[in-house]
């Protein structure tokens, strides 16, 4: 389907100097250096209602991470985890999806520009709240967390981070923080925020906003990638020890790994979720499913786009050519309900990775638009020229909500997990490994809670990277992991090996370079 069809699932972008962001607008924008009313000659006078501004910012961030474009596409579609193949004319979209998979993006790529604009807007709006004298300590601390959160992703994706003070007028070009400078800025914001943030235990009522535990998680993520961000190339033992200590502190607050893998992604209490975003999950549910797969509140079916590669699917335990209930697959690979078990899922749609013949909720085999059996296949002929059924489909948030039979998918909209304790657990295992320890026991501790997932005899770097893939697929971290493990420029299906580590950073958008001469384009673009 065409990209424009799904714009309704993306939060409307904020007005910037009278211009509205769009994927095709290439006019110069001040998105990296927002100028608010009241800046310049009169000076910044503060936001009128800091609490309301903070709530709006939470909603904005949730919306930015809800889209299938921008943040999600740069984090996942650029990796070996997801592929958006062109199916006839569907999902052609002038090649934007194919460019991400093949690592041939350019500085004017719409999603590169969209992610840059959104993240930098959020940084400035957080600064406005922080610099408002009437904001209380809790509001300031949450705004510092959100500023650090957004700056983390600018630093991670682009390297350099433009920064404008709230009192600086349009005649001043924003300062540009180097990657190490941004690292220190983020570390300071999070460290200062922790003291004024609440310490919360597990439970859905506690984890929809910044907390000490969420700030500690992001700090641990910062330290784990420290050798990448500081340019040293070698993990520092002090950073790795910080990761271990922070994860232990999060665990002491009541967070822990738990059994029941796909239940974690329901909007109910669990010990895993450290932070969820207020994100409409429509794109996360429907962009993978076929046009004829539906639910009571979405009779129009799926969008038939996002799929995974055969080699990613094959990382999981189980028969490589089937994933029906009872086929001996590990729990995290999910299942496809067969004719006998379709009613058990209420909608006929399985969990995890969908391959082979698909069924309706009454056990009737589904068909494609040509009235032939709908059989999802592992292999793609190429990035183009695909039919309706190529590709194993991936679904983690299910359209059926067992907690609300009448409302169905609606209670999932505003509950996208972004920080999870299983990630922290594996971060600690990795930090131990990088300090010379053996992570096998910790990795197997997690695997023992996942059904039909046997213990590993030993764990090395590749095994740990694969384990992170199995546990954390489509949770925004695959590109980050591949970069840290030195494999983002490696070959995978339908992507030629580039060997060019310049792709570890995206280009600074062309419009940003024009609007701020302090910015310098990243190497290779």
């Amino acid at each position: 389907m065409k990209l424009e069809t799904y714009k309704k699932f993306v939060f409307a972008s904020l007005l910037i100097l009278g211009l509205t962001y769009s994927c095709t607008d290439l006019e110069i924008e001040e998105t990296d250096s927002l100028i608010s009313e009241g800046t310049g000659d009169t000076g910044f006078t503060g936001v009128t209602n800091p609490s309301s501004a903070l709530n709006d910012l939470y909603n904005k961030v949730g919306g930015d991470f809800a889209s299938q474009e921008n943040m999600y596409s740069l984090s996942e579609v650029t990796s070996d985890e997801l592929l958006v193949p062109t199916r006839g004319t569907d999902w052609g979209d002038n090649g934007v999806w194919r460019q991400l998979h093949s690592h041939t993006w350019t500085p004017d790529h719409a999603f590169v520009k969209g992610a840059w604009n959104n993240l930098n807007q959020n940084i400035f709006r957080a600064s406005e709240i922080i610099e408002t004298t009437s904001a209380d300590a809790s509001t300031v601390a949450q705004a510092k967390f959100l500023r650090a959160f957004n700056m983390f992703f600018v630093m991670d994706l682009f390297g350099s981070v433009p920064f404008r003070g709230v009192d600086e007028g349009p005649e001043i070009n924003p300062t540009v923080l180097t990657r190490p400078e941004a690292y220190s800025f983020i570390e300071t914001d999070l460290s200062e925020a922790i003291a004024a943030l609440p310490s919360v235990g597990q439970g859905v009522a506690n984890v929809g906003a910044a907390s000490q535990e969420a700030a500690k998680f992001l700090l641990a993520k910062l330290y784990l990638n420290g050798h990448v961000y500081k340019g040293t190339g070698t993990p520092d033992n002090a950073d790795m020890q910080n990761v271990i200590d922070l994860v232990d502190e999060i665990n002491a607050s009541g967070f822990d790994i738990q059994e029941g893998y796909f239940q974690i992604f329901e909007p109910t209490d669990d010990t895993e979720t450290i932070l969820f975003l207020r994100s409409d999950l429509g794109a996360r549910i429907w962009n993978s499913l076929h046009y004829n797969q539906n639910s009571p509140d979405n009779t129009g079916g799926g969008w038939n786009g996002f799929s995974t590669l055969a080699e990613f699917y094959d990382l999981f335990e189980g028969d490589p050519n089937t994933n029906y209930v009872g086929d001996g697959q590990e729990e995290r690979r999910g299942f496809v309900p067969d004719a006998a078990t379709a009613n058990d899922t209420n909608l006929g749609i399985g969990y995890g990775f969908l391959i082979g013949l698909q069924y309706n909720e009454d056990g009737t085999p589904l068909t494609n638009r040509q009235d032939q059996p709908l059989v999802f296949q592992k292999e793609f002929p190429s990035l183009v020229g695909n039919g309706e059924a190529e590709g194993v489909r991936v679904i983690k948030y299910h359209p059926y909500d067992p907690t609300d039979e009448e409302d169905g998918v609606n209670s999932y909209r505003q509950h996208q997990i972004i920080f999870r304790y299983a990630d922290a657990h594996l971060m600690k295992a990795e930090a131990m490994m990088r300090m010379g320890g053996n992570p096998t026991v910790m990795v197997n501790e997690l695997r023992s809670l996942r059904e039909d997932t046997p213990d590993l005899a030993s764990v090395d770097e590749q095994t740990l990277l694969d384990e992170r893939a199995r546990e954390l697929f489509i949770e925004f971290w695959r590109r980050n992991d591949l970069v840290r493990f030195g494999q983002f420029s490696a070959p995978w299906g339908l992507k030629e090996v580039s060997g060019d580590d310049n792709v570890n950073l995206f280009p600074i958008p062309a419009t940003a370079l024009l609007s701020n001469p302090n910015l310098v384009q990243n190497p290779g673009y």
Side-chain angles (χ1 to χ4, degrees):
M1 289 191 174
K2 297 296 184 185
L3 176 63
E4 296 300 323
T5 305
Y6 311 118
K7 288 292 180 66
K8 63 182 180 179
F9 292 99
V10 185
F11 273 57
S13 297
L14 299 174
L15 293 178
I16 305 166
L17 298 179
L19 296 176
T20 302
Y21 164 72
S22 81
C23 286
T24 56
D25 178 18
L26 293 180
E27 295 298 320
I28 297 175
E29 300 171 352
E30 296 284 355
T31 50
D32 64 324
S33 52
L34 281 172
I35 311 300
S36 291
E37 186 176 353
T39 61
D41 293 338
T42 60
F44 177 68
T45 57
V47 297
T48 304
N49 187 329
S51 295
S52 178
L54 179 66
N55 185 65
D56 289 345
L57 184 55
Y58 272 115
N59 289 333
K60 172 67 165 54
V61 173
D64 293 342
F65 279 72
S67 165
Q68 66 190 7
E69 301 92 2
N70 303 336
M71 283 304 304
Y72 191 64
S73 69
L74 298 193
S75 301
E76 300 289 3
V77 182
T78 61
S79 78
D80 60 346
E81 195 168 88
L82 288 179
L83 170 67
V84 185
T86 301
R87 305 181 189 278
T89 58
D90 290 349
W91 294 95
D93 298 321
N94 297 316
V96 292
W97 302 106
R98 299 191 299 272
Q99 291 163 13
L100 294 181
H101 185 81
S102 60
H103 289 192
T104 57
W105 52 74
T106 60
D108 60 356
H109 193 286
F111 303 160
V112 170
K113 178 185 175 186
W116 171 273
N117 287 350
N118 289 336
L119 293 168
N120 281 295
Q121 289 169 20
N122 296 339
I123 290 169
F124 186 82
R125 284 175 167 76
S127 293
E128 289 186 307
I129 298 169
I130 293 165
E131 297 301 327
T132 297
T133 56
S134 61
D136 60 40
S138 174
T139 299
V140 170
Q142 291 186 68
K144 284 190 174 183
F145 171 83
L146 289 175
R147 183 167 70 180
F149 178 88
N150 285 275
M151 189 177 288
F152 174 90
F153 283 104
V154 178
M155 175 190 66
D156 183 67
L157 297 172
F158 300 99
S160 301
V161 180
F163 187 81
R164 178 183 288 283
V166 294
D167 268 321
E168 295 177 341
E171 73 283 358
I172 299 175
N173 293 318
T175 300
V176 175
L177 304 178
T178 65
R179 217 177 194 187
E181 288 170 341
Y183 177 98
S184 296
F185 194 108
I186 294 164
E187 183 182 30
T188 299
D189 257 359
L190 291 173
S191 299
E192 291 178 352
I194 286 174
L197 287 171
S199 177
V200 299
Q202 56 82 24
V204 68
N206 301 325
V207 295
S211 65
Q212 288 186 13
E213 290 71 28
K216 289 174 181 178
F217 180 99
L218 188 54
L219 262 178
K221 189 73 73 171
L222 184 75
Y223 291 132
L224 187 68
N225 292 277
H227 59 291
V228 176
Y229 302 145
K230 291 183 287 188
T232 62
T234 303
D236 180 76
N237 281 351
D239 284 343
M240 297 303 101
Q241 188 61 53
N242 284 337
V243 173
I244 293 169
D245 293 343
L246 288 163
V247 173
D248 285 345
E249 290 174 18
I250 295 169
N251 181 243
S253 296
F255 295 91
D256 209 342
I257 52 178
Q258 74 167 47
E259 62 185 3
Y261 184 68
F262 287 104
Q263 286 70 42
I264 294 168
F265 302 94
E266 296 171 1
T268 53
D269 285 351
D270 62 73
T271 63
E272 286 256 8
T273 306
I274 297 170
L275 178 69
F276 69 84
L277 298 180
R278 305 172 189 175
S279 298
D280 184 320
L281 289 169
R284 217 60 76 240
I285 293 171
W286 298 109
N287 62 18
S288 188
L289 298 177
H290 186 268
Y291 311 117
N292 291 343
Q293 291 179 295
N294 54 47
S295 70
D297 69 338
N298 188 68
T299 55
W303 309 340
N304 206 42
F306 287 51
S307 306
T308 195
L309 295 171
E311 60 206 76
F312 190 85
Y313 171 79
D314 288 343
L315 290 175
F316 293 79
E317 297 281 347
D319 188 322
N321 297 309
T322 178
N323 207 37
Y324 292 117
V325 173
D327 279 347
Q329 68 272 37
E330 67 161 282
E331 180 184 12
R332 294 174 298 190
R333 202 174 79 175
F335 63 87
V336 179
D338 57 22
T341 59
N343 280 324
D344 293 341
T345 64
N346 294 276
L347 294 178
I349 299 169
Y351 286 85
F353 294 83
L354 310 183
I355 187 175
L357 180 61
Q358 304 298 298
Y359 293 88
N360 212 334
E361 67 271 17
D362 61 2
T364 303
L366 284 172
T367 60
N368 61 20
R369 293 185 296 183
Q370 291 74 46
D371 204 30
Q372 299 298 311
L374 180 60
V375 181
F376 292 147
Q377 303 164 25
K378 288 174 64 174
E379 305 294 341
F380 297 91
S382 69
L383 290 177
V384 297
N386 297 282
E388 293 182 16
E390 276 80 9
V392 177
R393 309 310 167 85
V394 189
I395 180 170
K396 211 161 196 174
Y397 295 90
H398 204 278
Y400 170 66
D401 178 4
T403 68
D404 192 345
E405 301 241 352
E406 294 183 1
D407 203 25
V409 73
N410 289 334
S411 61
Y412 275 89
R413 303 173 186 264
Q414 307 305 311
H415 191 93
Q416 177 171 230
I417 297 172
I418 193 73
F419 293 170
R420 188 157 68 84
Y421 189 79
D423 187 354
H425 184 87
L426 292 174
M427 287 162 59
K428 178 180 175 180
E430 182 180 338
M432 291 169 53
M433 179 187 70
R434 297 194 185 281
M435 293 176 71
N438 188 340
T440 304
V441 172
M442 281 200 70
V443 172
N444 283 335
E445 183 182 357
L446 175 61
R447 289 173 66 86
S448 69
L449 296 178
R450 308 297 180 231
E451 295 179 5
D452 299 309
T453 307
D455 283 355
L456 298 170
S458 63
V459 173
D460 58 13
E461 279 203 19
Q462 186 61 53
T463 311
L464 185 54
L465 177 62
D466 291 345
E467 188 65 19
R468 288 187 60 83
R470 289 184 285 263
E471 179 68 27
L472 300 166
F473 62 91
I474 63 172
E475 294 185 46
F476 285 93
W477 296 114
R478 183 59 174 170
R479 173 200 159 274
N480 178 273
D481 288 346
L482 289 171
V483 170
R484 187 172 68 259
F485 281 81
Q487 296 191 29
F488 190 58
S489 62
W492 51 70
L494 303 182
K495 168 184 173 263
E496 295 182 3
V497 59
S498 68
D500 181 3
D501 285 340
N502 285 329
V503 299
N504 287 346
L505 288 176
F506 291 102
I508 306 298
T511 51
L513 294 171
L514 289 171
S515 66
N516 183 3
N518 288 333
L519 285 165
V520 177
Q521 185 57 275
N522 287 323
Y525 297 104

